[in-house]
Amino acid sequence: MADDKKHAEIDAALVRQLADILNETDLTEVEVERGDLRIRVAREITVNAAPVAYAAAPVAAAAPAAAAPPSMPSDPATIVARAGEEVKSPMVGTAYLQASPEAPAFIKKGDTVKKGQTLLIVEAMKTMNPIQAPRDGVVADILVGDAQPVEFGEPLVLLEA
């Protein structure tokens, strides 16, 4: 019984630490595993961003799907086709379009970029991760706003040849 109480105290402290990490880093979830103990803490983020438009498509009546963030529809039929290559986020974090608030943006729509050039930064757990162009091309569109939370695999930039 004493071991159960000690284990519960450790769990509560760990949960508080994980919740603090979420609040400090703008992550949407964090998970920790220690032996047979596994704790996942998640939160829902409301983003005050511009509305996202999706192509209307007939959908057969089915059981409701789990809600997905507006930037990543769960039904492939609702995704608008885009010409070009999507540069996707390799992690959950916050996208920044410039190195600092007073610095110029890394890229603008219409810019020509070279392979390896920094397109933007994704901050995750207080670490700034440069997102680089996978190839030479032209910036067709920037799909995220500055200081916008992003999910793993979310398209960030659209590159054309």
Side-chain angles (χ1 to χ4, degrees):
M1 187 83 158
D3 286 338
D4 289 340
K5 185 175 181 180
K6 182 178 178 184
H7 194 66
E9 288 175 18
I10 293 170
D11 294 350
L14 182 57
V15 169
R16 284 187 188 94
Q17 287 176 332
L18 295 174
D20 288 342
I21 290 171
L22 287 181
N23 289 331
E24 292 170 3
T25 62
D26 290 329
L27 293 173
T28 55
E29 68 180 66
V30 64
E31 186 172 333
V32 172
E33 196 168 333
R34 289 184 183 165
D36 61 348
L37 173 66
R38 184 171 155 195
I39 298 175
R40 179 177 161 265
V41 178
R43 68 179 168 145
E44 186 176 320
I45 293 181
T46 305
V47 178
N48 294 330
V52 178
Y54 300 105
V59 179
S71 57
M72 295 184 64
S74 59
D75 181 1
T78 63
I79 298 174
V80 176
R82 296 184 180 121
E85 177 183 352
E86 292 177 336
V87 178
K88 297 181 179 183
S89 179
M91 64 196 70
V92 173
T94 303
Y96 293 102
L97 302 180
Q98 55 216 37
S100 65
E102 59 279 346
F106 289 109
I107 56 169
K108 301 183 302 287
K109 189 173 178 178
D111 282 356
T112 300
V113 295
K114 296 286 185 191
K115 179 178 180 177
Q117 179 179 337
T118 299
L119 303 174
L120 51 91
I121 293 173
V122 173
E123 182 228 349
M125 298 187 72
K126 304 222 186 257
T127 301
M128 300 299 181
N129 302 283
I131 306 303
Q132 299 176 339
R135 61 173 175 79
D136 292 355
V138 175
V139 177
D141 204 359
I142 300 170
L143 306 172
V144 295
D146 191 44
Q148 176 182 327
V150 294
E151 297 293 329
F152 173 80
E154 181 175 343
L156 304 171
V157 175
L158 189 62
L159 288 182
E160 293 179 336

